[in-house]
Amino acid sequence: MKSKTFTEICAALLILLFAYTAVSKLLEYDKFIFQMKLSPLSLMGILAPFLAWIVPLLEIILVGFLLFPKVRKAGFIGSIILLTVFEVYILGMLVSGLHLPCTCGGIVSMLSWKGHLFFNAFFIAVAYLGLRLARKKKMEQPSKIEYSARPEA
């Protein structure tokens, strides 16, 4: 019972994170594109309009996966992947030494790059814990295979 509760808490935290950031990015679409174009990665300038739709869309899809227990494991895996990509981007920003604005939406954008690094690491840990608990829960469930009685000859 405890693992189910903790799995639900992990999913809820990720749902709140992704729903909030997706809506913030969509509401501040022009600002999101502008800030991505400031990135020291030249490819970001070209990809910004595309990423401005894809990133929030992926976040919304992850919210959908995390809402439903049957596909929640996929939601946790997708969360780990997306958050890890963000983490690599954040590390790139830290290494660049530039003081560029964050492309996150809302209150999250007020964090420093180091703050983002720890914030993301926390949510990667939440997603990993949720995945581990979801897998553990699956292993603890009895098999649903039904055996039919063989007729006696």
Side-chain angles (χ1 to χ4, degrees):
M1 186 66 166
K2 282 184 183 179
S3 70
K4 181 181 180 192
T5 302
F6 284 122
T7 304
E8 296 285 332
I9 290 169
C10 291
L13 287 171
L14 291 164
I15 288 167
L16 287 172
L17 172 70
F18 289 133
Y20 175 76
T21 57
V23 169
S24 295
K25 287 171 187 155
L26 291 172
L27 289 175
E28 299 175 348
Y29 177 78
D30 292 331
K31 181 181 175 184
F32 184 42
I33 291 175
F34 175 76
Q35 290 174 335
M36 277 194 288
K37 287 183 177 184
L38 294 176
S39 170
L41 305 171
S42 59
L43 195 58
M44 287 298 283
I46 298 165
L47 294 177
F50 174 72
L51 291 174
W53 284 106
I54 292 299
V55 172
L57 180 63
L58 287 173
E59 291 171 333
I60 292 167
I61 289 169
L62 287 173
V63 166
F65 278 114
L66 291 163
L67 280 170
F68 301 103
K70 288 192 183 259
V71 291
R72 189 167 286 151
K73 277 195 319 185
F76 285 130
I77 292 167
S79 298
I80 292 167
I81 293 167
L82 186 61
L83 288 166
T84 300
V85 169
F86 289 159
E87 195 79 338
V88 169
Y89 177 77
I90 293 166
L91 283 169
M93 292 287 97
L94 281 169
V95 170
S96 78
L98 299 172
H99 297 288
L100 298 171
C102 154
T103 57
C104 302
I107 197 163
V108 179
S109 64
M110 294 182 199
L111 293 171
S112 68
W113 286 111
K114 284 184 183 177
H116 273 82
L117 195 67
F118 291 112
F119 183 83
N120 252 35
F122 170 77
F123 279 99
I124 290 170
V126 166
Y128 180 74
L129 176 63
L131 178 61
R132 294 277 306 207
L133 292 171
R135 285 182 174 166
K136 180 181 175 188
K137 183 181 150 209
K138 180 99 173 170
M139 286 183 204
E140 291 174 355
Q141 289 178 346
S143 176
K144 293 184 180 181
I145 299 173
E146 295 182 28
Y147 296 96
S148 59
R150 291 179 71 190
E152 296 291 325

